[in-house]
Amino acid sequence: MYEQMVTARHYEERLVDEYLVGKQPAFDISAGPIPGELHLAAGHEASGAGVCIHLRDDDTVTAPHRPHHIAIAKGVDLKRMTAEIFGRKTGLCRGKGGHMHLFDPDVNFACSGIIAQGCPPAVGAAMASKKRNTDSVAVAFLGEGAIDQGGFLESLNLAAVHDLPVVFVVEDNDWAISMPKDRVTDVQNGAQRADGFDLPGVRVDSDDAMAVYEAAGEAVMRARDGNGPTLIEVQVHRRMGHFMGDAEGYRPEADIDRAKQRDSIERLAADLRSHGVTDDDIDEMRERAHERVEAAISWAKEQPEPEPAEAYENVFTNPPAQAATDGGAAADAPGDAGETGGDN
Ligand SMILES: Cc1ncc(C[n+]2csc(CCOP(=O)(O)OP(=O)(O)O)c2C)c(N)n1
Ligand SMILES: [Mg+2]
């Protein structure tokens, strides 16, 4: 878990360097090697690692728009994931999805920029597992800002009524973009949403990877044993802005400082030391993580970009008429390629 968490943190630190290339001075979001939005999950690592360590490749995970720590913990191919983020042809989605739309069928991982979107497909995967009589489970991750969404609440109901092997994991970082949770949600403890559906709800109050590990272990076992769904809420912290370029003018300094002080990675390192893991072992894990990240980033940067003529391939079930007649050449037109303004 520690190595996964360090990998996720370092990966994002390196993405920041790469993301800023070419974007200054006026912060042109479409410029540079990583065009578009970038939502970083620094401060969320305990949740991805503590949950996914209980999962197998045949278990399904759906993640939201802040997906890197979860993807890494689920075992998504880091090289192809990085190529996707860099918009390269060998990326997981051939460079067309970007960082919010990673899809890796080898380990049953998907994410989406649409809030709570992952809940119904996770319930679908759990239903498929039950109908096929396998013991695979599904986990849907979402932010606390998504717990009032219909898709989430309907998913809880369907999961409960059919006793499906699914775990919902709410990552509570106190903010939904610039909106503090107490202005939009009636409960402070999102795990209470489970009460309305008569299923277990557990809140992990601190971003302590070991506490997440314990809670998720129980929930995943319960699902695998055919005993139905669980909702877990984990307190995490957003160490950065909502996305890169967010000046966070709405956020009190003290809240930013608090987020930075509560570092689940440092906390886990201290736990490991107190259980006899040596500094050398910890350094070795960090080194391995850093090497893996560098290898993925340098591989991704060498990959080819997709051809404009492929712009519509694998995008539409029924391609627009223009795509059928010009082979997608219209994507060459100024303003079409690479523009990703606005929120997802
Ligand atoms: C259905 C939908 N509504 C609105 C948005 C715009 N949006 C993007 S991120 C976000 C806030 C999400 O907050 P939260 O779920 O707490 O996740 P966090 O960003 O804090 O990790 C919103 C409203 C969206 N992507 N999808
Ligand atoms: Mg949030």
Side-chain angles (χ1 to χ4, degrees), residues 108-277:
N108 289 338
F109 177 90
C111 58
S112 163
I114 302 304
I115 301 310
Q117 186 278 342
C119 298
V123 167
M127 192 174 274
S129 166
K130 187 169 179 178
K131 283 188 181 293
R132 288 173 182 150
N133 268 327
T134 70
D135 69 347
S136 68
V137 305
V139 180
F141 285 84
L142 59 149
E144 94 296 332
I147 67 167
D148 304 313
Q149 288 282 94
F152 169 60
L153 298 166
E154 291 174 36
S155 296
L156 286 179
N157 184 58
L158 202 59
V161 84
H162 289 285
D163 260 335
L164 298 178
V166 56
V167 180
F168 299 90
V169 179
V170 176
E171 298 187 311
D172 176 10
N173 62 8
D174 301 317
W175 294 94
I177 314 184
S178 52
M179 185 59 73
K181 76 171 176 183
D182 56 4
R183 282 190 59 198
V184 286
T185 298
D186 59 345
V187 291
Q188 283 305 290
N189 170 2
Q192 280 178 267
R193 284 277 182 267
D195 301 346
F197 302 92
D198 197 21
L199 55 91
V202 183
R203 178 164 158 94
V204 178
D205 236 342
S206 53
D207 49 358
D208 172 355
M210 288 310 298
V212 179
Y213 172 86
E214 299 288 342
E218 229 170 88
V220 169
M221 198 193 308
R222 187 178 131 79
R224 232 187 262 300
D225 289 349
N227 296 318
T230 303
L231 169 61
I232 299 175
E233 181 171 81
V234 182
Q235 180 72 58
V236 295
H237 291 93
R238 203 181 82 191
R239 295 172 71 88
M240 319 263 306
H242 171 68
F243 48 30
M244 283 291 294
D246 175 4
E248 294 193 283
Y250 52 83
R251 192 173 177 191
E253 284 286 334
D255 188 69
I256 300 177
D257 292 345
R258 199 169 55 102
K260 290 195 173 151
Q261 277 157 16
R262 301 196 180 173
D263 189 347
S264 60
I265 298 184
E266 287 307 317
R267 181 177 185 148
L268 184 57
D271 269 4
L272 291 174
R273 285 191 194 98
S274 74
H275 285 86
V277 177

Side-chain angles (χ1 to χ4, degrees), residues 50-61:
V51 172
C52 293
I53 195 160
H54 299 288
L55 302 180
R56 311 184 306 227
D57 285 356
D58 64 328
D59 294 328
T60 296
V61 165

Side-chain angles (χ1 to χ4, degrees), residues 62-123:
T62 62
H65 55 289
R66 207 177 290 292
H68 304 148
H69 62 305
I70 305 168
I72 287 170
K74 180 65 170 81
V76 170
D77 184 314
L78 195 61
K79 287 186 169 163
R80 294 192 59 216
M81 166 171 155
T82 312
E84 185 58 41
I85 294 171
F86 279 77
R88 304 303 167 107
K89 195 170 174 160
T90 49
L92 288 171
C93 296
R94 303 177 198 212
K96 292 170 189 167
H99 103 105
M100 280 182 280
H101 303 102
L102 307 167
F103 184 78
D104 189 350
D106 290 344
V107 294
N108 289 338
F109 177 90
C111 58
S112 163
I114 302 304
I115 301 310
Q117 186 278 342
C119 298
V123 167

